[in-house]
Amino acid sequence: MFLVATEGTAAEVFGFDDVAEKARRLAGKNWSAPPEVPDFLKDIEYSRFQEIRFREERNLWRDTDSRFQVMLTPAGHYFSHAVALNEIHDGDVKPVPFVRDNFSYPSEEFAKRIPADLGYAGFRLTYPLRGPDINNQFLSFAGASYFRGVGRNDGFGLSARGVAIDTGLPSGEEFPSFIEFWLEKPDAEAEQVVAYALLDGPSLTGAYRFTVQPGDALEIDVQARLFFRKETELPGYAPLTSMFYYGENTPRPDGEWRPQTHDSDGLLVVSGDSGEWLWRPLINPASLRMSYLQANDPKGFGLIQRDRDFRDFHDLEARYERRPSAWVQPKGDWGKGNVVLVEIPTRSEVNDNIVAFWSPSDSPGAGETVDLNYTLKFGPPGISGHPAGVAVNTFLGDGNRIGGGDQEGAYRVLVDFAGGPLDDIEAGSDVVSHVSASNDTEVLEHFVEYSEPTGQWRLSMLVRPAPEQSLALRAFLSRGGEPLTETWTYELPPGVDIRDR
């Protein structure tokens, strides 16, 4: 249950309550947008912005015995405003001043135009993840309330956010921003680092404490307190933002040679009501789609990248098989609500077009305060702790051709399941498929068989959507009346028709 925060006395050592008091006071004032960087930096081309590089010899904490270091991010391009940065050491707070020479620039003439008080857009944390001699970047905060993280063997991909407001609604989305950070200087033996953040936006302010532990998976304990200036139609807590251009279950765009292109391939949800694990493959729709998956007192949700083989993508530059998954594990009772999935049409891999977050059934009103606590993980797809068999492939084809079937207007849908208790079941065992449909979708047939080449169990369905209606399916496998797998769900809206490809 969300708690209403009460005022307390300030701590002797700077901490979360101090940031919360700043956020509370700020919420009592009218919102004003942060000052933007000069136009020449805001309008700079991406390739030229990439030429502005932080000098690693200027890393914060480089000259200490801490294994953590901090790289500073230049303002400009997507990062249209600077943030205030502070360091906490032995309880004392001191600002991290902007130093123009901390960066190298495309030219001396360009460097002269950088204001001496410009500020930084954010920061990147480093740690020797892959050996004692190199500090690897593992967490980055920059731009609005976005932050990105990786596990030991990942490359950067999807992002998390502090909060989402009215995402996907016709009224337009609001993007609150982190405007100030405080970094606790860790000692030599520290395996964690702590950062605080102050958030501000038209509808709310917020205080955050991030306790960060790098490793095979990056684990971040998040404590947040939100102060609402006004009621919002669709508040989104613990939001995740990713990219899905196309995959095995959607049409391949004309001219594309790569088999798939995405940072995440599905949404995984486990509800507190039933304990059911629900898997929803992502799509790139013809028009914006919003899905509300009931998740009262959610036990976890995340955007997952299950395709982790180079042969799934064949992209030597992007290396999508190394993109991390992200998993949110709420603490305490979050109450009634939904995991909301927003899928936005995109014609390229440049734009993030997928957002997932939890939203309460009753939106907080003006003047209300919400406390949130959760653990956020970035890493391999197993970070969710999923105990059952999982859907590793979803394939769609024409249900009226050789190999698909003989039903006009139908689809052949194949789902490969593996892992969990399935690994201990021999071929020929009495595994049963369960398939249901909605939106007047017809289920013409379904059966399950063991796939010897892959060691997986394949569910085959012949289904037909109603005219101008979404294809809508749910399925899972069982044995002896006991579920073996998560529940696979799929929706294919009108206008995304692979039978014509």
Side-chain angles (χ1 to χ4, degrees):
M1 179 180 295
F2 294 126
L3 302 176
V4 177
T6 58
E7 293 186 32
T9 58
E12 292 183 5
V13 177
F14 185 90
F16 177 78
D17 288 341
D18 297 280
V19 185
E21 178 62 15
K22 285 177 175 285
R24 187 191 68 80
R25 291 179 180 274
L26 189 60
K29 303 177 182 179
N30 292 329
W31 176 77
S32 59
E36 294 191 336
V37 300
D39 287 344
F40 83 95
L41 282 172
K42 189 170 59 175
D43 300 334
I44 190 174
E45 292 183 359
Y46 178 74
S47 59
R48 191 160 177 81
F49 178 67
Q50 290 293 96
E51 295 179 38
I52 305 174
R53 298 184 179 276
F54 182 73
R55 303 180 191 274
E56 291 190 28
E57 66 271 17
R58 305 288 180 90
N59 280 8
L60 197 63
W61 307 334
R62 183 180 181 89
D63 296 329
T64 72
D65 52 8
S66 172
R67 289 174 290 179
F68 292 94
Q69 294 182 24
V70 184
M71 302 178 68
L72 303 173
T73 303
H77 196 58
Y78 297 128
F79 312 135
S80 60
H81 67 85
V83 300
L85 287 178
N86 304 276
E87 181 184 6
I88 306 171
H89 183 51
D90 292 335
D92 295 327
V93 177
K94 64 178 182 179
V96 178
F98 175 73
V99 178
R100 183 165 45 194
D101 289 342
N102 280 346
F103 299 91
S104 61
Y105 299 95
S107 67
E108 291 186 9
E109 192 64 31
F110 187 97
K112 291 178 182 178
R113 302 176 67 189
I114 300 297
D117 60 351
L118 176 64
Y120 305 106
F123 62 92
R124 290 163 284 170
L125 291 173
T126 72
Y127 185 84
L129 276 175
R130 301 176 192 141
D133 300 326
I134 300 177
N135 267 34
N136 309 106
Q137 297 181 39
F138 70 91
L139 180 62
S140 171
F141 283 84
S145 67
Y146 286 88
F147 56 102
R148 300 193 300 160
V150 294
R152 190 184 312 277
N153 297 312
D154 301 319
F156 281 97
L158 81 170
S159 303
R161 282 194 260 172
V163 70
I165 300 294
D166 294 344
T167 305
L169 297 185
S171 57
E173 182 173 2
E174 180 183 314
F175 289 92
S177 295
F178 290 133
I179 59 172
E180 188 166 8
F181 292 94
W182 295 261
L183 303 174
E184 284 189 2
K185 183 179 179 181
D187 59 32
E189 303 302 320
E191 296 182 352
Q192 297 179 334
V193 64
V194 175
Y196 302 91
L198 175 65
L199 178 135
D200 192 19
S203 296
L204 81 171
T205 66
Y208 290 77
R209 184 180 194 268
F210 301 96
T211 304
V212 179
Q213 182 162 340
D216 291 340
L218 170 61
E219 187 167 316
I220 307 173
D221 283 329
V222 182
Q223 179 184 6
R225 185 169 297 162
L226 305 177
F227 300 86
F228 282 80
R229 285 191 173 104
K230 60 183 181 180
E231 184 175 359
T232 60
E233 185 175 351
L234 186 63
Y237 302 148
L240 304 172
T241 300
S242 192
M243 181 275 294
F244 183 90
Y245 184 24
Y246 62 95
E248 63 200 13
N249 58 300
T250 63
R252 183 186 299 183
D254 293 339
E256 278 289 353
W257 56 268
R258 296 170 296 179
Q260 304 182 64
T261 297
H262 52 73
D263 285 339
S264 308
D265 55 3
L267 170 69
L268 183 63
V269 178
V270 55
S271 173
D273 280 350
S274 63
E276 179 184 35
W277 291 78
L278 192 70
W279 172 252
R280 171 77 172 269
L282 301 175
I283 66 168
N284 180 4
S287 59
L288 184 144
R289 285 180 59 82
M290 297 187 66
S291 303
Y292 294 77
L293 290 77
Q294 187 178 46
N296 296 330
D297 185 21
K299 297 309 177 188
F301 67 91
L303 292 173
I304 308 297
Q305 180 77 316
R306 284 185 175 168
D307 290 325
R308 298 280 285 186
D309 192 311
F310 174 76
R311 290 170 294 183
D312 294 323
F313 305 98
H314 281 283
D315 193 322
L316 286 170
E317 181 177 357
R319 299 302 300 272
Y320 287 112
E321 79 280 1
R322 296 183 60 224
R323 302 296 167 100
S325 301
W327 183 249
V328 175
Q329 186 173 334
K331 298 179 181 179
D333 185 354
W334 280 27
K336 294 183 178 181
N338 300 281
V339 172
V340 181
L341 174 64
V342 183
E343 295 168 299
I344 304 168
T346 183
R347 294 187 177 182
S348 76
E349 64 203 274
V350 174
N351 301 312
D352 284 343
N353 64 318
I354 303 295
V355 187
F357 52 85
W358 188 85
S359 189
S361 296
D362 297 322
S363 297
E368 290 193 42
T369 302
V370 169
D371 277 306
L372 288 172
N373 290 276
Y374 57 95
T375 298
L376 171 64
K377 297 179 182 180
F378 290 92
I383 54 176
S384 66
H386 196 318
V390 302
V392 294
N393 295 309
T394 299
F395 302 110
L396 275 77
D398 193 343
N400 190 28
R401 65 174 63 194
I402 295 175
D406 58 359
Q407 295 292 322
E408 185 176 352
Y411 285 94
R412 175 62 65 180
V413 184
L414 305 173
V415 184
D416 291 334
F417 290 95
L422 289 174
D423 290 343
D424 299 323
I425 297 177
E426 297 181 353
S429 298
D430 52 346
V431 175
V432 178
S433 59
H434 303 262
V435 179
S436 59
S438 56
N439 291 356
D440 295 324
T441 296
E442 290 184 83
V443 179
L444 302 171
E445 70 173 22
H446 63 91
F447 58 89
V448 62
E449 58 186 329
Y450 181 73
S451 170
E452 184 178 357
T454 61
Q456 300 166 349
W457 290 84
R458 172 164 291 183
L459 168 61
S460 181
M461 296 166 278
L462 186 63
V463 296
R464 180 161 46 211
E468 304 304 319
Q469 294 289 319
S470 295
L471 173 71
L473 296 167
R474 289 171 59 95
F476 66 95
L477 304 184
S478 73
R479 185 187 187 198
E482 294 295 324
L484 296 170
T485 68
E486 65 194 9
T487 300
W488 168 92
T489 71
Y490 191 73
E491 287 195 13
L492 190 70
V496 184
D497 194 337
I498 67 172
R499 295 170 301 188
D500 297 333
R501 308 294 292 184

